[in-house]
Amino acid sequence: MREDFLWGGAVTAHQSEGGYNEGGKLPAVCDLTVSGEFSDFKDGIDTFHRYQEDFLLYKELGFNAYRFSIDWSRMMSDENTYNEAGFEFYDRFIDGLLENGMEPIPTLYHFEMPVYLHEKYNGFASREVVNIFVDLCKRIIDRYSHKVKKWIIFNEQNGILQKGPKMFFGGICPEGFDPQTFDNQIMHNTLIAHSLINEYIHLKEGYVLGMATIVQSYPETCHPLDTLESMKAQSEAFVFLDVFARGHYNSYYYANMKNEGTMPEILEGDFDILKKGKTDALSISYYMSTISHYGEESLTNVKDVVIKKNPYLEMSEFGWTVDPIGLRITLRQLYDRYEMPIYIVENGFGYDDQMKNDIIEDDYRIDYMRKHLEEMKLAIKEGVDCRGYLMWGPIDILSSRAQMKKRYGLVYVNRDNKDLKDMRRIKKKSFDWFKQVIQTNGEQL
């Protein structure tokens, strides 16, 4: 492994911070995705008050990098009014990371748009919201560029094209409007935002990791039509990665929008703006794979991600395939296609961990992570320039659907869906295992 390989963790603000009514924070669009079936995002695991305690745990693990999101709904109190208290919180947060030897890697958009921008403009369906977001990001970059060098602009941006609601991006498809054209419009608008922010980060001598979530998709059979369906499924990530790597839409997806009549509104000069979208590296989240059958959806994301079962792979209790080799395939595919550095910025195993006498024996998590790291190392040996592994949720946080029982952490947080308890932090068995992995720079798994 490279001497400067990044080992760390990743979280998002709304799933962890809490402090819902503090420091001028407002409701965010992620709050509108809560069903009431599990919990909500109001309390998180209280990192708003306890981040220093958590940073000491990460320092003990040996983290040298940490990915987090800067909560838009904490940074603006109105369309034209910035919230200084929000900036001051992230001043302290970033300083705390640096003091504990971790490189801060902020994500500028992780589903935390203020609700008022959804209500007034329908979120990123509007170019006005693009302008508001770009202006905010320029202020954030101005504030932190002397402390932050690596940035992620949008989290899992290609999730826009997954079949399901678009509330995470602040939009609802208007009645009578074609849903695919609507998705393509949000795609285009967010890529314009990405490109303008990417250009500004580079002006400040920063380094950008263009991000996509990769759900590896295998043809269900050797029928050529299933292979075509698999290629179509993968194209939903490539349309974003091609802008990050090449500064333009890939020819397949652009032609497909023309052929289907789902072309978004593209303003004069937009293609020149996309040329400014080339990033310094690619970054991915990887959890699972699916299979593709011609004419069928291989993945939907309505209430949660639902994939087709692969008879050759095991499934987690939450219905996600466990496919370490798929990570190696993904790394090789992306590096063959783009020849750019790649960072894994999310990977982990969600499980309803049970604590007995303050002990959590999570061998299943160790097994999952070990196998994925083994395949990552093989991909590197095969020539892939992979430069980091940031596990998802190094400490238990609420899942993307506000469920506390879907735990990913190396550290247990003593709360459940309805009862906040004392939120005490308790190391799991996986804590010491991953500590050793980092100490040996991935040699001992």
Side-chain angles (χ1 to χ4, degrees):
M1 217 74 77
R2 306 165 56 103
E3 288 186 9
D4 62 350
F5 193 85
L6 295 186
W7 293 103
V11 299
T12 178
H14 69 274
Q15 292 166 255
S16 61
E17 282 182 3
Y20 192 78
N21 296 316
E22 298 185 51
K25 187 191 177 315
L26 298 174
V29 292
C30 51
D31 296 315
L32 303 180
T33 68
V34 171
S35 65
E37 183 180 358
F38 305 118
S39 185
D40 55 42
F41 296 122
K42 293 185 178 179
D43 299 290
I45 58 165
D46 197 30
T47 55
F48 187 77
H49 299 106
R50 302 176 70 154
Y51 65 87
Q52 292 172 321
E53 174 187 354
D54 296 340
F55 289 175
L56 289 176
L57 288 165
Y58 304 150
K59 183 178 182 180
E60 183 181 347
L61 278 163
F63 282 8
N64 59 16
Y66 190 68
R67 177 184 170 222
F68 61 100
S69 66
I70 294 179
D71 189 336
W72 186 351
S73 66
R74 203 178 281 287
M75 307 302 277
M76 293 183 73
S77 55
D78 199 357
E79 190 174 326
N80 301 304
T81 307
Y82 296 94
N83 178 23
E84 177 61 19
F87 282 87
E88 290 173 356
F89 169 71
Y90 290 109
D91 286 342
R92 299 189 296 272
F93 192 93
I94 290 169
D95 286 345
L97 287 170
L98 293 169
E99 288 163 7
N100 285 286
M102 286 173 279
E103 180 175 5
I105 304 179
T107 303
L108 292 170
Y109 188 73
H110 205 138
F111 315 145
E112 292 147 354
M113 177 190 298
V115 168
Y116 63 80
L117 293 176
H118 156 68
E119 293 175 340
K120 184 172 181 180
Y121 295 111
N122 206 15
F124 278 114
S126 165
R127 288 293 281 258
E128 187 59 37
V129 170
V130 168
N131 297 335
I132 293 167
F133 181 60
V134 170
D135 287 345
L136 169 68
C137 289
K138 287 181 177 180
R139 288 176 181 262
I140 292 171
I141 294 157
D142 287 343
R143 181 94 164 210
Y144 302 121
S145 60
H146 63 298
K147 300 177 182 179
V148 172
K149 294 306 173 189
K150 293 186 178 72
W151 303 82
I152 293 172
I153 298 172
F154 281 93
N155 174 73
E156 296 184 342
Q157 196 170 352
N158 57 311
I160 292 165
L161 298 180
Q162 292 176 352
K163 294 299 180 286
K166 298 299 172 287
M167 186 50 71
F168 280 125
F169 292 87
I172 294 177
C173 184
E175 190 173 345
F177 199 86
D178 176 63
Q180 188 61 57
T181 306
F182 183 74
D183 290 358
N184 290 344
Q185 190 67 61
I186 295 180
M187 171 195 73
H188 180 72
N189 290 354
T190 58
L191 282 169
I192 291 295
H194 158 86
S195 299
L196 293 170
I197 296 162
N198 181 67
E199 178 187 39
Y200 196 74
I201 291 171
H202 286 149
L203 286 174
K204 298 290 182 174
E205 301 182 343
Y207 186 94
V208 181
L209 285 61
M211 191 197 174
T213 180
I214 305 295
V215 179
Q216 185 59 233
S217 184
Y218 308 119
E220 186 169 17
T221 72
C222 54
H223 195 294
L225 287 175
D226 285 357
T227 298
L228 277 174
E229 193 68 31
S230 173
M231 292 173 68
K232 180 181 178 182
Q234 297 293 87
S235 75
E236 293 181 356
F238 292 151
V239 69
F240 293 86
L241 293 169
D242 277 12
V243 172
F244 303 157
R246 299 166 176 164
H248 59 77
Y249 285 120
N250 70 61
S251 56
Y252 164 77
Y253 198 87
Y254 191 77
N256 206 46
M257 292 192 294
K258 278 187 173 180
N259 295 336
E260 292 182 344
T262 60
M263 188 69 71
E265 182 184 17
I266 298 174
L267 303 183
E268 185 177 352
D270 279 0
F271 291 127
D272 289 330
I273 293 174
L274 292 182
K275 292 175 183 176
K276 302 173 182 179
K278 295 181 186 179
T279 61
D280 304 282
L282 304 178
S283 60
I284 63 169
S285 63
Y286 176 87
Y287 295 95
M288 72 194 100
S289 62
T290 186
I291 52 178
S292 294
H293 185 90
Y294 183 71
E296 297 178 6
E297 294 291 347
S298 59
L299 182 151
T300 59
N301 192 0
V302 179
K303 292 185 177 180
D304 201 349
V305 175
V306 176
I307 56 176
K308 295 192 71 173
K309 180 172 174 55
N310 186 326
Y312 298 100
L313 297 173
E314 295 180 3
M315 303 280 276
S316 76
E317 65 173 324
F318 292 98
W320 290 10
T321 49
V322 178
D323 184 11
I325 296 174
L327 174 59
R328 179 176 164 200
I329 293 168
T330 295
L331 291 171
R332 285 183 51 179
Q333 273 183 340
L334 297 184
Y335 196 68
D336 285 348
R337 185 179 176 102
Y338 299 114
E339 294 186 327
M340 291 176 68
I342 302 173
Y343 293 80
I344 300 166
V345 295
E346 285 188 34
N347 175 249
F349 188 67
Y351 196 85
D352 184 9
D353 296 323
Q354 298 299 312
M355 180 171 60
K356 296 179 181 178
N357 301 319
D358 277 4
I359 296 173
I360 302 98
E361 300 273 359
D362 59 338
D363 293 286
Y364 40 83
R365 181 166 293 109
I366 295 171
D367 183 65
Y368 177 97
M369 292 177 67
R370 177 188 288 124
K371 288 176 178 175
H372 281 76
L373 289 170
E374 285 172 347
E375 295 297 331
M376 178 192 77
K377 287 174 66 176
L378 284 171
I380 292 171
K381 190 175 181 180
E382 292 167 337
V384 174
D385 184 8
C386 181
R387 300 187 179 186
Y389 178 88
L390 309 184
M391 66 165 296
W392 179 250
I395 188 169
D396 290 344
I397 59 176
L398 292 158
S399 77
S400 60
R401 307 296 170 170
Q403 181 173 194
M404 197 64 205
K405 288 184 178 295
K406 191 178 185 183
R407 298 173 180 268
Y408 285 84
L410 312 172
V411 178
Y412 186 91
V413 175
N414 191 35
R415 68 154 287 187
D416 59 26
N417 283 336
K418 304 298 182 184
D419 186 355
L420 297 179
K421 301 182 181 179
D422 59 5
M423 297 207 202
R424 187 162 48 102
R425 275 62 167 154
I426 303 160
K427 298 173 190 175
K428 304 178 189 178
K429 184 176 181 179
S430 56
F431 185 97
D432 288 326
W433 171 79
F434 198 50
K435 180 179 178 180
Q436 177 181 276
V437 171
I438 296 172
Q439 283 176 343
T440 63
N441 197 24
E443 286 302 309
Q444 292 185 33
L445 299 179

